[in-house]
Amino acid sequence: NAGVMQNPRHLVRRRGQEARLRCSPMKGHSHVYWYRQLPEEGLKFMVYLQKENIIDESGMPKERFSAEFPKEGPSILRIQQVVRGDSAAYFCASSPFRDRNNEQFFGPGTRLTVL
Amino acid sequence: KQEVTQIPAALSVPEGENLVLNCSFTDSAIYNLQWFRQDPGKGLTSLLLIQSSQREQTSGRLNASLDKSSGRSTLYIAASQPGDSATYLCAAVTGANNLFFGTGTRLTVIP
């Protein structure tokens, strides 16, 4: 049973370009969470999705950021018109149920560098 | 809003020493608390999860305790080894079902 997979592991973009980060949850998990870790800071929650639904996006920046988790395929975190301040590690986690006692399992992260 | 604090921010100990990492949270209405390990440039490895109804969890040389009323959790590492060197993160789950992370304790175990 493969763990949570994220790709790419490293992504370099120039200012103004778009970044697409992908997350495939563990088999059998239908809940996905995205977190961002800025340099020298702790991880911060961004968004929580279930298949085809955004459950909680209270941590998402209001502009340029969007997330989806389609019925088929991975969850996508999309950042439009990237700026240097978007450089960070983006982690995805998954869990099997919408149960607050469920453990979240993390992927290896995507390290985004904006030049 | 939940605030999670970890003290100390960094810790260096000689190999073989027992140590305690501290985590405090402001909102005691948590569902569970997780401890993670993060190696430089890597993802998070889950170490222990304590449900809100539990007082402690143990895995090998690791023991985590939870005191909801005082808003504290500790991670005890026995007989530390150089391979334990990493950043240790605690995270609390509250009503929104997402994790609130502390900023971590960077542990260095000196051979």
Side-chain angles (χ1 to χ4, degrees), chain A residues 19-21 32-36 38 43-49 53-69 75-80 86 90-92, chain B residues 1 96 98 100:
Chain A
R20 281 185 177 237
L21 288 63
V32 166
Y33 313 79
W34 285 93
Y35 295 84
R36 177 167 67 173
L38 292 166
L43 280 86
K44 295 285 194 293
F45 167 78
M46 298 182 76
V47 62
Y48 164 33
L49 310 103
N53 284 307
I54 296 175
I55 308 299
D56 180 356
E57 57 182 347
S58 59
M60 287 279 270
K62 294 290 185 283
E63 298 177 346
R64 302 187 296 107
F65 285 72
S66 62
E68 63 176 6
F69 189 15
S75 174
I76 307 286
L77 179 67
R78 182 183 177 204
I79 311 172
Q80 294 179 289
D86 297 332
Y90 292 82
F91 291 95
C92 165
Chain B
K1 182 186 171 185
N98 64 70
F100 286 88

Side-chain angles (χ1 to χ4, degrees), chain A residues 68-102:
Chain A
E68 63 176 6
F69 189 15
K71 187 176 180 180
E72 301 290 337
S75 174
I76 307 286
L77 179 67
R78 182 183 177 204
I79 311 172
Q80 294 179 289
Q81 299 176 328
V82 296
V83 301
R84 288 220 174 101
D86 297 332
S87 295
Y90 292 82
F91 291 95
C92 165
S94 72
S95 67
F97 308 112
R98 188 181 182 177
D99 181 337
R100 296 179 183 90
N101 287 315
N102 270 133

